[in-house]
Amino acid sequence: MIDSKIAVDADRTYRELDELAQFSDVPAPAVTRIVFSSADRAARQYLTNLFEQAELEVRSDPVGNLFARLIGSEPDLPVVGTGSHCDAIPHSGRYDGTVGVLGGLEAIRSLQASGFRPKRSIEVMMFTSEEPTRYGIGCLGSRLMSGKLDPIKAASFKDNAGVTLEQTLVDFGCQGSLDQVRLPSDYYSAFVELHIEQGPLLEQHALPIGVVHAIAAPAALRCSFTGVGGHAGAVLMAGRKDALLGASELALAVERAALEPGNQDTVATTGYCKVHPCAVNSIPSLVELEIDIRDIDGERRNRVLASVQNAAQAIADRRELTLSCELINADPPAKSDAKIVAAIQESCKTLGLPHLDMISRAYHDSLFMAMIAPVAMIFIPCHKGYSHRPDEFSSVDAIGKGVEVLAQSLAKLSMN
């Protein structure tokens, strides 16, 4: 098989993470790298250069998903895949997603250096737009790859400037039609994503590796309350139809619904609020909220979603507001493949690394890859569980151990 002392160069990966973080629209330590921006273009070129230096076969699909392949001895077999994303929400950190891309590359390089020759080809990839920042929908690349997202619908997505995804892709230089992005169900024999935990459990348990057994799925709800605006000094309180007060009630109802008994793995967040006209001396006449509800149990998640929708209507009726609710998405949870989980656990044992069996409450591209391939995830600790903020941090040692486990796992899976 493969020597358990495989040489992973964690310092190199850490250095490359720092270099990748320089491609940002804001100064360090924060990272802002919106998909199809100039910073994203520079990051993609940087990654492409690294892939080519490693003598991997590189390609990009029509939505910009980037693939780099180490050819196996039986190249016609389904591929073993790994990877993550490199886009970053405004003022976030440098490890979310990027550890999975550059860590995947380092895993492959370490296998190359050891003289290991896989039977199945091993592929590291960078998914396009895991974050929902530009088009309001997360995992754009993997949704298209899995067939979960209709290509015609995706092409019509517009950013805040009103530019469609289709036009943006043309301007960015992507080639081909979005209906060519979907992969066949036998493309991957296994897919393993390395990621920072984005939570505190591994650090609290002083454990280096998390083995993910299930990935929670999000439902996203957009609710708008329309009331009656007016002068803040001239309209008496009894006669008001304040849209913001209705929206505020709903935000509290979201919290209550998630805290109901039996919802121990449910999380719900009202993370977006847009107020019109947004003036201190004007009664809010229109407020738009976006609500995120997620769980590893789809039925339980949907019960909470229904409770929130019912609460929104009751609030609107009582306050004489007009309500509009749109379900943006409600994706199914994913369970990890038992054979891949076993390969990761065996790799941990080979390396003498204790692990924690856990779930992922954050969702990842692996959620959609699970629709077309067996998947699992490897988590590594991050400081205090911080993520999506400039002080997001994972140490050289933590990253190195994660890459070691990933390399061993890829080696095992590529020989099956």
Side-chain angles (χ1 to χ4, degrees):
M1 174 55 71
I2 185 72
D3 189 340
S4 63
K5 300 300 182 181
I6 179 175
V8 165
D9 191 341
D11 289 327
R12 173 170 59 182
T13 300
Y14 208 78
R15 184 171 61 253
E16 290 168 349
L17 285 164
D18 282 346
E19 291 170 352
L20 182 61
Q22 305 311 306
F23 305 112
S24 170
D25 290 325
V26 295
V31 178
T32 297
R33 192 163 49 241
I34 308 301
V35 67
F36 304 131
S37 64
S38 58
D40 182 40
R41 184 188 295 277
R44 288 167 180 270
Q45 187 58 59
Y46 175 73
L47 290 172
T48 299
N49 291 344
L50 292 179
F51 294 156
E52 291 177 345
Q53 289 167 17
E55 298 183 346
L56 303 181
E57 186 180 275
V58 183
R59 71 178 181 90
S60 180
D61 72 11
V63 78
N65 291 316
L66 187 61
F67 304 77
R69 179 177 295 195
L70 173 65
I71 304 297
S73 61
E74 299 186 30
D76 293 333
L77 290 175
V79 180
V80 173
T82 189
S84 194
H85 68 98
C86 283
D87 61 315
I89 67 170
H91 299 279
S92 62
R94 62 182 59 190
Y95 303 96
D96 174 18
T98 56
V99 166
V101 179
L102 288 170
L105 171 62
E106 180 57 31
I108 291 175
R109 288 187 300 210
S110 66
L111 292 174
Q112 289 174 308
S114 73
F116 175 75
R117 179 77 190 279
K119 181 170 73 173
R120 297 179 185 272
S121 298
I122 301 176
E123 190 168 75
V124 59
M125 67 167 305
M126 187 207 75
F127 293 100
T128 287
S129 193
E130 191 263 3
E131 305 291 3
T133 311
R134 184 159 187 172
Y135 297 103
I137 185 169
C139 298
L140 175 62
S142 55
R143 284 179 191 269
L144 286 165
M145 287 172 65
S146 67
K148 175 67 175 177
L149 176 60
D150 178 64
I152 296 175
K153 180 179 180 181
S156 67
F157 287 164
K158 292 182 179 180
D159 60 17
N160 288 336
V163 181
T164 65
L165 173 61
E166 183 175 44
Q167 184 59 53
T168 300
L169 291 170
V170 170
D171 295 342
F172 202 70
C174 294
Q175 304 290 321
S177 170
L178 289 182
D179 59 12
Q180 298 171 325
V181 175
R182 183 172 184 173
L183 294 179
S185 59
D186 62 350
Y187 184 91
Y188 285 117
S189 64
F191 190 89
V192 188
E193 183 172 1
L194 173 66
H195 209 283
I196 59 171
E197 181 194 349
Q198 299 178 288
L201 296 182
L202 289 174
E203 187 175 71
Q204 288 174 359
H205 288 83
L207 291 172
I209 299 294
V211 182
V212 176
H213 288 252
I215 305 171
L221 185 67
R222 181 181 293 122
C223 292
S224 297
F225 289 98
T226 302
V228 178
H231 195 288
V235 181
L236 295 177
M237 299 302 292
R240 293 190 178 190
K241 297 179 181 178
D242 187 324
L244 180 57
L245 295 181
S248 301
E249 275 199 56
L250 181 58
L252 292 172
V254 169
E255 180 188 42
R256 284 195 301 272
L259 289 171
E260 284 290 321
N263 293 346
Q264 67 275 3
D265 283 322
T266 309
V267 291
T269 306
T270 305
Y272 175 89
C273 180
K274 182 179 181 181
V275 181
H276 177 82
C278 200
V280 68
N281 60 346
S282 183
I283 299 166
S285 59
L286 174 64
V287 177
E288 183 178 286
L289 300 178
E290 290 187 6
I291 299 161
D292 179 295
I293 304 169
R294 59 184 73 191
D295 201 319
I296 59 169
D297 184 316
E299 291 186 6
R300 186 168 57 206
R301 191 266 324 267
N302 291 342
R303 287 198 298 271
V304 173
L305 175 63
S307 176
V308 169
Q309 291 171 309
N310 291 336
Q313 189 60 62
I315 292 166
D317 292 345
R318 178 164 39 82
R319 289 187 170 272
E320 299 182 39
L321 303 170
T322 300
L323 172 69
S324 171
C325 275
E326 175 192 0
L327 184 61
I328 302 172
N329 63 273
D331 300 308
K335 288 187 177 180
S336 297
D337 179 79
K339 291 182 180 179
I340 303 178
V341 167
I344 297 170
Q345 292 171 331
E346 185 181 341
S347 296
C348 290
K349 184 177 180 180
T350 298
L351 294 165
L353 296 174
H355 70 273
L356 179 67
D357 292 326
M358 59 194 308
I359 66 171
S360 173
R361 288 182 174 85
Y363 80 104
H364 305 276
D365 288 299
S366 288
L367 182 73
F368 297 97
M369 296 304 291
M371 298 177 183
I372 58 169
V375 304
M377 295 188 70
I378 300 168
F379 277 175
I380 60 171
C382 56
H383 177 60
K384 294 185 178 181
Y386 292 165
S387 185
H388 283 194
R389 46 190 281 182
D391 53 355
E392 176 181 277
F393 175 77
S394 191
S395 68
V396 176
D397 180 65
I399 293 169
K401 287 174 179 174
V403 175
E404 287 178 349
V405 173
L406 177 62
Q408 290 281 340
S409 302
L410 293 177
K412 295 177 191 297
L413 295 166
S414 69
M415 298 306 291
N416 291 336

